Amino acid sequence: MVVSSEIYKAAKGDKNGKKYAEAAIKKWEEGRLQEAVGILREALVSWRDDENLWMLLGAIYGELMDYNKSLNCNKEAVRLAPNSAVCLHGLACVYANTGYNALFLETELKAHDADPTFVPAVDGLAMAYQRTFQMKESLEEYQQLLLKNPNNEEAISHLCLASIYMPSTTPESLYITHRYYGEVAEKNAGPESVCLRDKDPDRKIRVGFFGTDFKKHSVAYFMEALIRDLDKSKYEVYIYYFGSKVDEVTERYKTYAKRFIKTVPHAKYVPLVLADGLDVAFDLGGHTGHHIRLFAARIAPVQIVYMGYPSTTGLTRMDYRFTDHWADPVGDADNWHTEQLVRLAGSSWTYLPHGDAPEVSEAPFKKNGYVTFGSFNNFQKMSDAQLVTWRKLLDAVPGSKIVFKSFSLSSPGVIDRVTKRLADAGFGDRATCLEAVETTKAHLALYAGIDIALDPTPFNGATTTCEALWMGVPVVTLEGNRHAARVGVALLNGIGHPEWIAKDDEHFIRIASGLAKSGEYLNTIRPVLRKEFIACPMMDYAGQARRFEGAIRDCWKAYCSTPSK
């Protein structure tokens, strides 16, 4: 959960540390976090009873991903000011960022009680409900917040993302919610930035990629091969990383770019990006990241959203969205986007498997004597109706079991709620929840315990589907009516297994139960799936890079053909 420096500006108070707080916030907004830490540590030598200094220091340690120090600082702030909504919210953010979602919810409830008008705490409470799989309560909080604060850009953005999870959401209602965001964001951004460029359609162009996930993350695995293999004689790569963590994936991305900028998304950053003179800018996060606000102002003559978000952004200043004809069929999908849809030939997905993945294992039913279904997706994607359908599947396959794995399931307090939901759906002792593991290799090894993977709807898996297929596990998906509910359709068609795509719940049960009863096929298909994946367009890195370049160039040529303003 991102903590904005804006939250703290109204909480500096009139204590002696005020000037230090102001100086630290300025450094924070400039991305000079270690200098901000130094200022605050110096101030706390003299004013250790100033909760605002502790709170700010805790927030900045959080940005640096030093969560132990962040937790200690925020606890001290709450000790000094136990009824401060700002301090309680700061502590809640630490719990959110470290996966303690039950404590996240508990602390945001306290912040809300301390000051029901403190908007960040209300927004945080809605997110905490979402993290603890209470989607109905989450949407209600967002809606109540926006009734009182209809122009709160951040809350609308969070509502956009939360809406994707809801089975009741339609393509039209999703579009309306996102247009609400677009209208507010573009109004807040002010007049559209003027980005004049040399309109030579064939020249070398400067392409910027903006995201929070240039690290070990699902988006990074889908983007790395494309950015790595771009023809650098024709495309000059700039990467803007708005995350805190730096790992070996980050270091690899640095080698692909002429310029790699690690910073924080902030309104003041727009002129700095404009000074870089980008020709094309890619948003790789949509409403999962705060950098979307930069695109609301316009930072390049050609702006494209791709990969990191499964819907329209709602921005009229976002010119294109890259997709494919499987996830967004021609016709109806075009009506529910502010962007012009550009459908990449074959597949819009380019998957780079983890280099340390285990070898494909034998299907576990052979040693277990029963079939194991599994879903390693974010449990936020599990609706009650879907759980009932999956329980009916288990009923159709006598003796079968199901395994769930999600990062949030390791959070103390949350697992109790999940266990009750599974019991209410009628799973009994046939469902098991796995705890998080330390490494990606260990995570992938858990697929050795799965015979058949189940794809959630209406928010399909992407990384989890590719991981399952790479580990030789068949995936069954239900075809939906919007991009988020059609990712499984795109991926299974991409690898050549459309027979695992269901049209409705009954069809889903027939396909999955048929696989479960197919005997030796479940074992023989496992090594074949990895070979099929290697041979499919999603791992044709050179070909995908050329198709990606072609789509970028077409968008650039369209800009070059327009009259200059």
Side-chain angles (χ1 to χ4, degrees), residues 328-442:
D328 289 294
V330 175
D332 196 46
D334 299 87
N335 297 327
W336 307 121
H337 284 80
T338 54
E339 306 86 0
Q340 180 179 331
L341 296 182
V342 175
R343 295 173 174 89
L344 301 181
S347 174
S348 64
W349 302 84
T350 304
Y351 183 63
L352 186 66
H354 192 268
D356 205 20
E359 292 301 314
V360 174
S361 67
E362 185 177 65
F365 82 92
K366 293 178 72 71
K367 65 177 180 180
N368 292 336
Y370 57 83
V371 169
T372 303
F373 297 99
S375 177
F376 289 1
N377 290 274
N378 184 345
F379 206 84
Q380 291 177 36
K381 298 180 178 183
M382 307 297 167
S383 69
D384 290 338
Q386 175 183 271
L387 289 176
V388 170
T389 298
W390 289 7
R391 189 265 300 160
K392 289 179 180 178
L393 168 60
L394 266 62
D395 292 344
V397 183
S400 62
K401 298 185 178 182
I402 188 167
V403 173
F404 295 95
K405 178 180 177 292
S406 171
F407 174 75
S408 299
L409 296 181
S410 299
S411 176
V414 174
I415 189 63
D416 295 336
R417 182 174 289 108
V418 171
T419 300
K420 183 179 185 304
R421 283 186 62 193
L422 294 175
D424 290 345
F427 282 99
D429 61 358
R430 295 177 292 177
T432 301
C433 295
L434 302 179
E435 294 186 357
V437 291
E438 290 293 325
T439 66
T440 303
K441 182 178 181 179

Side-chain angles (χ1 to χ4, degrees), residues 267-283:
K268 294 179 180 178
Y269 199 65
V270 171
L272 300 178
V273 177
L274 289 173
D276 288 337
L278 298 177
D279 299 309
V280 178
F282 276 91
D283 174 14

Side-chain angles (χ1 to χ4, degrees), residues 29 57 63 82 149 151 168 210 230 326 415 475 509 525 564:
E29 292 176 348
L57 183 58
E63 286 287 298
N149 302 273
N151 295 317
S168 59
F210 294 72
L230 277 178
W326 299 114
I415 189 63
V475 179
I509 292 172
I525 191 62
S564 299

Side-chain angles (χ1 to χ4, degrees), residues 281 294-305 317-320:
L294 303 177
F295 289 77
R298 186 169 289 281
I299 50 176
V302 178
Q303 300 195 145
I304 305 169
V305 62
R317 296 172 185 176
M318 191 72 76
D319 304 299
Y320 300 98

Side-chain angles (χ1 to χ4, degrees), residues 10-277:
K12 290 179 294 191
D14 295 317
K15 296 186 178 181
N16 291 328
K18 180 178 179 180
K19 67 176 182 178
Y20 290 92
E22 291 173 340
I25 287 173
K26 186 174 186 297
K27 296 294 184 185
W28 183 357
E29 292 176 348
E30 293 170 352
R32 298 158 70 177
L33 300 182
Q34 292 292 354
E35 293 180 41
V37 167
I39 290 169
L40 292 169
R41 287 174 63 89
E42 178 185 347
L44 284 165
V45 172
S46 301
W47 296 291
R48 296 191 65 80
D49 63 342
D50 189 328
E51 70 273 12
N52 297 310
L53 295 177
W54 285 108
M55 175 182 59
L56 277 169
L57 183 58
I60 293 167
Y61 275 134
E63 286 287 298
L64 292 167
M65 298 188 74
D66 191 336
Y67 292 125
N68 285 331
K69 290 180 180 178
S70 180
L71 179 62
N72 291 334
C73 290
N74 279 287
K75 282 185 172 181
E76 179 64 13
V78 170
R79 187 189 69 78
L80 290 166
N83 296 315
S84 165
V86 182
C87 292
L88 286 162
H89 173 67
L91 179 59
C93 289
V94 183
Y95 291 135
N97 288 328
T98 50
Y100 289 92
N101 289 317
L103 287 171
F104 174 29
L105 175 60
E106 177 186 322
T107 311
E108 286 291 25
L109 283 167
K110 291 179 180 178
H112 184 267
D113 290 343
D115 184 357
T117 67
F118 183 53
V119 172
V122 181
D123 187 35
L125 179 58
M127 187 174 291
Y129 279 131
Q130 184 176 334
R131 294 274 192 93
T132 53
F133 319 131
Q134 300 176 80
M135 296 306 301
K136 179 175 176 290
E137 291 82 355
S138 176
L139 286 178
E140 288 174 352
E141 285 295 329
Y142 283 129
Q143 289 161 355
Q144 288 299 313
L145 188 159
L146 291 169
L147 282 175
K148 299 175 182 177
N149 302 273
N151 295 317
N152 188 300
E153 188 177 327
E154 186 170 15
I156 305 169
S157 181
H158 292 162
L159 176 62
C160 288
L161 177 59
S163 298
I164 295 175
Y165 290 90
M166 301 302 294
S168 59
T169 298
T170 65
E172 181 179 11
S173 66
L174 200 62
Y175 176 79
I176 291 170
T177 302
H178 284 73
R179 271 304 295 138
Y180 174 25
Y181 171 80
E183 290 170 358
V184 171
E186 289 173 349
K187 180 180 178 181
N188 289 344
E192 186 171 351
S193 302
V194 177
C195 304
L196 298 178
R197 301 290 185 269
D198 173 9
K199 290 189 172 183
D200 178 351
D202 300 312
R203 70 172 175 84
K204 184 176 184 178
I205 57 179
R206 184 171 293 174
V207 184
F209 295 91
F210 294 72
T212 59
D213 302 317
F214 297 105
K215 58 185 179 183
K216 288 182 181 178
H217 186 276
S218 55
V219 173
Y221 295 135
F222 288 111
M223 288 304 303
E224 183 174 355
L226 284 179
I227 295 176
R228 179 194 67 196
D229 292 345
L230 277 178
D231 184 344
K232 303 306 189 296
S233 69
K234 299 177 181 178
Y235 300 90
E236 189 174 79
V237 173
Y238 279 45
I239 293 177
Y240 300 82
Y241 178 35
F242 299 112
S244 299
K245 184 178 180 180
V246 174
D247 56 26
E248 62 266 32
V249 176
T250 315
E251 295 301 328
R252 289 202 302 269
Y253 269 105
K254 289 179 181 180
T255 68
Y256 308 147
K258 178 176 181 180
R259 188 174 178 210
F260 186 99
I261 306 99
K262 184 177 179 296
T263 184
V264 292
H266 191 271
K268 294 179 180 178
Y269 199 65
V270 171
L272 300 178
V273 177
L274 289 173
D276 288 337

Side-chain angles (χ1 to χ4, degrees), residues 421-467:
R421 283 186 62 193
L422 294 175
D424 290 345
F427 282 99
D429 61 358
R430 295 177 292 177
T432 301
C433 295
L434 302 179
E435 294 186 357
V437 291
E438 290 293 325
T439 66
T440 303
K441 182 178 181 179
H443 163 73
L444 294 173
L446 293 174
Y447 283 99
I450 302 290
D451 291 293
I452 302 164
L454 306 179
D455 193 20
T457 191
F459 199 157
N460 293 169
T463 306
T464 47
T465 296
C466 289
E467 287 175 346

